[in-house]
Amino acid sequence: VLRGGKTVLEGRPATDFTDGELVEYMVGRAVPNLPAERPTIPSTTPALKLTGLRVPGDGGRAGVVDLDLEIAQGEIVGVAGVAGSGQRELTDAVVGAREWTAGSIVIAGAAIGAADPRQAIAAGASGVPEDPVGDWVVPGLSVLEHLALAQLKLHQAAPSDTWLHKPKGLDWPGARRTARKLDEAADLRMAGVERVVATLSGGNIQRVLLTQVLGSRARLYVLSYPNRGLDVASTRQVQQLILAKRESGAGILLVSEDLDELMAMSDRIAVLHAGHLAGIVKARDTTRAELGHLMLSGEAVAA
């Protein structure tokens, strides 16, 4: 086992370790297990309701075809499927980043009328895109400036405060205080606020983005591969943050390539196959093999 460029363990048979013990050697501390029991959250208005949603795909792919899906308040719905099954088209449409040609999107009771991220944000959506570097990073801007972009209304300065730091019209001391609060709330070891985001590693970019999203409050979280580039301990911290959002009553749409993670985190799992909804299963009532079969064939395993 290597940690911090040094060998911390060698020469012992693999059968000597549990998963938890091996992880502790890797990260230098114990990583807590996810809670086995989770409270049921009373739900009235769905956090997300999709009806007959049709989203064109890139490069001639099917995208999303006539999708009906509902996420309750306080529910995590995972999305499984082989790559290119419509995951990106689905998440982009929900957060207003992609046009759809049919159907409706309703976030916390508010209908989204067009592909407009401002409408999705106003309704209470917040998201982690599939490609943070291409879709979220603004070249040349610092960590603080990225966080401030997400809080523009909060940090617009009064006319008498336009002497504050560049660009004018923003309350930068207030933005720094908010960044500190977000960092403390997420506890993901975010890079310093003066660092230029585009110069960070993929994992550190992910930490800044996750701090922005999971350190804030929303009615619906749309999370595409949130743990890409993260170590084991950071991954578990992100999972705990997501579960805390669930417990607070938010709805979560979680896209992941890791079936084990989907089964551990989700209340229900929606399986996409060639742009179609192949089925929705309860995470605790299905096996990894059954989920994989549904992903590959689009058909449920016969009873």
Side-chain angles (χ1 to χ4, degrees):
V1 177
L2 301 178
R3 186 174 74 243
K6 298 179 180 179
T7 301
V8 297
L9 182 74
E10 62 179 327
R12 287 176 57 184
T15 52
D16 279 4
F17 305 98
T18 64
D19 287 354
E21 289 168 340
L22 186 58
V23 166
E24 189 169 349
Y25 278 113
M26 291 166 60
V27 301
R29 64 184 187 277
V31 175
N33 293 324
L34 295 174
E37 299 297 326
R38 297 167 195 169
T40 300
I41 310 300
S43 179
T44 51
T45 303
L48 176 67
K49 185 173 183 179
L50 307 176
T51 305
L53 186 66
R54 183 178 288 261
V55 187
D58 295 328
R61 294 202 308 264
V64 173
V65 182
D66 300 332
L67 177 66
D68 294 330
L69 180 65
E70 189 170 306
I71 300 177
Q73 298 172 32
E75 182 183 31
I76 299 175
V77 173
V79 177
V82 298
S85 294
Q87 298 95 322
R88 176 156 191 163
E89 289 85 354
L90 169 61
T91 55
D92 280 357
V94 170
V95 297
R98 184 183 294 253
E99 296 280 356
W100 63 94
T101 56
S104 64
I105 298 174
V106 180
I107 298 172
I112 307 304
D116 184 351
R118 292 170 297 183
Q119 289 191 31
I121 292 169
S126 184
V128 171
E130 179 176 315
D131 177 15
V133 174
D135 295 341
W136 178 75
V137 173
V138 181
L141 293 194
S142 68
V143 169
L144 178 62
E145 289 165 335
H146 276 78
L147 298 179
L149 277 175
Q151 305 280 343
L152 280 178
K153 288 186 178 180
L154 179 63
H155 296 302
Q156 285 176 342
S160 61
D161 293 333
T162 55
W163 57 270
L164 291 168
H165 309 287
K166 58 133 185 131
K168 293 182 178 181
L170 288 181
D171 173 15
W172 288 103
R176 287 178 180 275
R177 289 191 294 272
T178 297
R180 186 166 55 250
K181 291 177 182 177
L182 291 173
D183 194 21
E184 292 171 354
D187 193 23
L188 289 173
R189 296 180 290 121
M190 181 182 72
V193 295
E194 302 303 332
R195 296 283 300 276
V196 174
V197 172
T199 66
L200 300 176
S201 67
N204 282 319
I205 289 173
Q206 195 80 351
R207 285 186 174 88
V208 177
L209 173 55
L210 289 164
T211 295
Q212 174 191 299
V213 172
L214 295 177
S216 303
R217 301 176 70 176
R219 295 183 177 92
L220 172 70
Y221 293 89
V222 182
L223 308 176
S224 296
Y225 315 102
N227 292 312
R228 275 183 176 170
L230 301 184
D231 59 41
V232 176
S234 296
T235 293
R236 183 52 46 85
Q237 174 65 7
V238 170
Q239 291 170 338
Q240 291 176 320
L241 288 168
I242 293 170
L243 291 176
K245 296 302 182 184
R246 175 195 182 277
E247 192 166 347
S248 72
I252 295 107
L253 182 65
L254 174 64
V255 180
S256 176
E257 296 170 331
D258 186 339
L259 294 187
D260 292 330
E261 178 177 52
L262 285 179
M263 294 177 70
M265 292 290 294
S266 305
D267 297 293
R268 295 183 297 144
I269 300 173
V271 180
L272 294 179
H273 178 79
H276 295 266
L277 181 63
I280 300 178
V281 298
K282 290 185 177 180
R284 293 193 177 189
D285 294 342
T286 193
T287 67
R288 202 176 189 278
E290 290 169 342
L291 199 56
H293 178 84
L294 188 57
M295 290 166 53
L296 292 172
S297 69
E299 299 177 355
V301 176

